[in-house]
Amino acid sequence: MAGKEKDMSKVKQMLRLHHNGVSNRQIAKDLSVNKETVNRYVKLAKLDELSITDLLKLDDPVLQHRMNGGSPSYPEGERFDDFKKKLSYFEDEMKRPHVTLKLLWEEYIAEHPKGYGLTQFRYHYRQHTKAKRPVSSSLLKDLYTPGEKLMIDYAGDRLEYVDRETGEIVKVQVFVACMPATDYGFAIAVRSQRSEDFIHALAMCLGSLGGVPKIVVSDNLKAAVVKTDPHEPKINRILEDMANHYGFVVIPARSGKPKDKSLVENQVKIVYNRVYAQLRNQKFYSLEELNKAIGRRCRHITVSVCSNILTRAKSSL
């Protein structure tokens, strides 16, 4: 396979999406990996005597052996860095008459014999040029499948409570989530944005929903995404392990693309108006007490959302 062998947690995300009926092309787009990589692992999974469901239950080292046979990895970071340094040169050369990507690849591979093959060369170059194009507006509204996605983020402003023992005011972060198909929202206060608090908040959210979505769309916070990259973002391993345990896929919002998580940002505004503002004159003396109040206000929001949905449904009959 061209490129390094994937972490098995990433491979499990690919196989889970395939098992859910998502096309290989869409999986590659959603997980920011090369389509040929997805094709390879899906093909290997189909050839394996175990079903995809059984493969997903294997420990990572066991799956690694079945998928790759313990083959050594290639220093992908080094190769991509070399390619990235030449991107501006490739762009300038492509503006010249009669120059093709294949010609540039032939020159590139002569200089870097262990570099990308022609397919990956074209893919990375086109991804780069596509990322620089201005985004055209569209009049079509995104259509969401109920229960498919959960969008998550943190509110920018913090809430607070008073420590009973010291009298100190303790500032806390507020985790916000929403199901885009129904606008069902959830909020909980946690002590920080550290991984352990983030995972706790997400687990509480899933418990409140009473189920698990197929996809979690996260912001690029450190607890979710270790390294942002337009081609291959690196998901926090703790979150990936949680995703594989619960059976969902993590797809981070693209950096600089607010529309990817616009509905949860709108949910944050709702939480500001209907939670923060409503609780502004109240004092709380523990995180648990604060979260009980947040929960009561969120239930009011849910009732209001359900009422609006029923009203719209009746008016359409």
Side-chain angles (χ1 to χ4, degrees):
M1 176 187 68
K4 70 175 181 179
E5 302 294 351
K6 298 294 176 189
D7 288 339
M8 288 302 104
S9 57
K10 178 71 76 176
V11 172
K12 285 181 178 179
Q13 300 271 286
M14 295 178 200
L15 298 183
R16 197 178 302 283
L17 281 172
H18 174 75
H19 188 60
N20 289 337
V22 181
S23 70
N24 289 3
R25 186 180 298 277
Q26 189 62 42
I27 293 171
K29 181 180 177 182
D30 288 343
L31 297 182
S32 299
V33 297
N34 190 285
K35 180 173 172 287
E36 293 306 315
T37 301
V38 179
N39 289 343
R40 177 180 186 271
Y41 282 111
V42 168
K43 183 178 179 180
L44 287 171
K46 288 180 177 178
L47 292 174
D48 199 288
E49 60 186 19
L50 295 179
S51 67
I52 289 181
T53 302
D54 290 332
L55 288 173
L56 290 171
K57 294 177 182 177
L58 297 176
D59 291 336
D60 286 1
V62 180
L63 184 61
Q64 167 82 25
H65 180 74
R66 297 186 79 94
M67 292 285 101
N68 301 320
S71 59
S73 62
Y74 187 93
E76 173 67 14
E78 217 174 288
R79 174 162 55 181
F80 185 73
D81 287 343
D82 289 337
F83 175 83
K84 192 163 60 172
K85 290 174 185 175
K86 297 185 72 70
L87 274 172
S88 58
Y89 166 78
F90 294 148
E91 284 185 283
D92 292 337
E93 289 301 298
M94 282 297 291
K95 295 173 185 175
R96 299 176 66 177
H98 316 303
V99 176
T100 64
L101 276 178
K102 186 176 181 182
L103 173 63
L104 292 178
W105 172 77
E106 289 171 351
E107 295 172 356
Y108 156 82
I109 206 66
E111 185 179 348
H112 302 280
K114 291 187 177 180
Y116 289 120
L118 179 58
T119 300
Q120 278 198 311
F121 179 90
R122 283 175 168 159
Y123 171 81
H124 286 301
Y125 178 82
R126 284 169 181 161
Q127 285 292 101
H128 171 72
T129 54
K130 184 179 178 181
K132 295 178 69 174
R133 290 179 202 155
V135 179
S136 57
S137 61
S138 173
L139 297 177
L140 292 175
K141 182 181 177 181
D142 284 331
L143 299 177
Y144 296 101
T145 303
E148 181 185 45
K149 288 184 178 180
L150 175 70
M151 296 183 175
I152 58 177
D153 200 358
Y154 277 101
D157 296 340
R158 294 191 288 177
L159 288 175
E160 62 186 35
Y161 68 90
V162 180
D163 188 299
R164 288 183 185 276
E165 296 182 1
T166 65
E168 177 190 2
I169 294 176
V170 182
K171 298 280 188 181
V172 293
Q173 301 283 344
V174 177
F175 172 94
V176 180
C178 106
M179 302 290 288
T182 58
D183 237 5
Y184 179 89
F186 173 85
I188 187 173
V190 290
R191 299 186 190 281
S192 71
Q193 291 191 21
R194 292 194 301 267
S195 295
E196 57 269 30
D197 291 321
F198 172 71
I199 295 297
H200 167 71
L202 182 53
M204 294 298 290
C205 177
L206 297 179
S208 174
L209 292 173
V212 179
K214 291 182 178 179
I215 298 169
V216 170
V217 180
S218 71
D219 193 11
N220 286 286
L221 58 150
K222 286 292 183 184
V225 182
V226 176
K227 178 184 176 184
T228 58
D229 188 283
H231 305 290
E232 192 170 342
K234 186 172 179 59
I235 307 299
N236 190 312
R237 187 56 184 268
I238 298 174
L239 178 57
E240 259 190 0
D241 287 344
M242 181 185 187
N244 287 324
H245 174 74
Y246 279 98
F248 62 83
V249 174
V250 180
I251 299 177
R254 293 169 296 174
S255 181
K257 302 286 184 181
K259 287 186 178 180
D260 285 2
K261 57 181 183 68
S262 58
L263 292 183
V264 73
E265 290 185 350
N266 184 61
Q267 190 68 32
V268 170
K269 294 177 184 176
I270 293 173
V271 169
Y272 283 156
N273 292 334
R274 301 193 188 181
V275 177
Y276 281 57
Q278 295 286 340
L279 302 180
R280 69 189 186 281
N281 293 324
Q282 297 183 44
K283 281 192 175 181
F284 304 96
Y285 295 93
S286 70
L287 187 60
E288 292 73 20
E289 190 180 330
L290 174 59
N291 274 324
K292 284 181 181 178
I294 293 173
R296 286 193 294 269
R297 294 309 312 163
C298 284
R299 283 192 287 276
H300 283 295
I301 297 173
T302 301
V303 169
S304 176
V305 168
C306 291
S307 177
N308 290 338
I309 291 172
L310 288 172
T311 302
R312 289 199 300 269
K314 288 178 181 177
S315 64
S316 65
L317 294 176

